[in-house]
Amino acid sequence: MDQETRDLRKAGLKVTHPRMRILQVFEEADERHLTAEDIYKRLLAHQEDIGLATVYRVLTQFEAAGIVMKHNFEGGQAVYELDRGKHHDHMIDIDSGKVIEFISEEIERLQHEIAERHGYVIEDHSLVLYVRPKKKAR
């Protein structure tokens, strides 16, 4: 039994062709963050008869089941990524729309310290930095 089938069954979802193919698109993609339209175009390129509405429906099911995470970054479409359980933050290149993942133990520590100082415990959080490449000196 392959990983995609196990992921679906573990999430309590039936193993269907559209679900399997959409998971495979994520697994095979060079980029980790894909829009529903990106997935749909990749399916079309492989002559898959899976409509855009089905892609959105499956992504919604995957999000509810904890298979994917949905991000609504400012100024862009929603993007989805497989939820592999490892927390990370994001930078968005505002010129190109490129999504860059990063992990910073220092930032994580500071966030917890700030919450503690204010009498809180962090249950969950999301950090998104909107960035632009530095201008190169001439």
Side-chain angles (χ1 to χ4, degrees):
M1 191 184 310
D2 62 0
Q3 184 64 43
E4 290 91 0
T5 301
R6 283 193 298 274
D7 288 347
L8 288 174
R9 289 204 171 121
K10 182 178 167 188
L13 296 171
K14 286 184 182 177
V15 177
T16 64
H17 180 73
R19 289 176 181 152
M20 290 293 292
R21 286 299 295 129
I22 290 169
L23 272 180
Q24 289 170 345
V25 167
F26 276 109
E27 295 287 350
E28 295 169 0
D30 291 333
E31 309 86 28
R32 286 181 41 101
H33 302 85
L34 300 171
T35 66
E37 289 78 12
D38 292 335
I39 294 165
Y40 176 67
K41 288 175 188 173
R42 290 168 195 229
L43 293 169
L44 279 180
H46 288 93
Q47 285 79 46
E48 292 288 346
D49 188 24
I50 299 171
L52 184 57
T54 299
V55 171
Y56 275 106
R57 186 170 48 257
V58 168
L59 288 172
T60 299
Q61 294 165 349
F62 283 0
E63 182 185 10
I67 294 173
V68 300
M69 293 187 308
K70 179 180 179 182
H71 302 286
N72 291 300
F73 300 129
E74 283 182 32
Q77 293 178 294
V79 295
Y80 300 83
E81 69 175 305
L82 289 176
D83 186 350
R84 294 296 183 208
K86 181 92 169 121
H87 174 76
H88 58 273
D89 295 306
H90 298 92
M91 289 190 297
I92 311 301
D93 180 322
I94 58 176
D95 292 337
S96 70
K98 180 180 176 183
V99 179
I100 303 116
E101 293 181 356
F102 69 95
I103 297 172
S104 170
E105 296 303 324
E106 183 178 8
I107 289 173
E108 296 302 313
R109 180 183 51 75
L110 286 171
Q111 290 175 111
H112 287 280
E113 286 177 11
I114 291 166
E116 177 72 27
R117 254 186 268 141
H118 291 274
Y120 291 93
V121 174
I122 296 175
E123 292 293 325
D124 191 17
H125 77 282
S126 174
L127 175 65
V128 180
L129 304 174
Y130 295 90
V131 299
R132 179 174 282 127
K134 288 182 179 180
K135 301 239 190 277
K136 294 189 167 111
R138 295 185 185 219

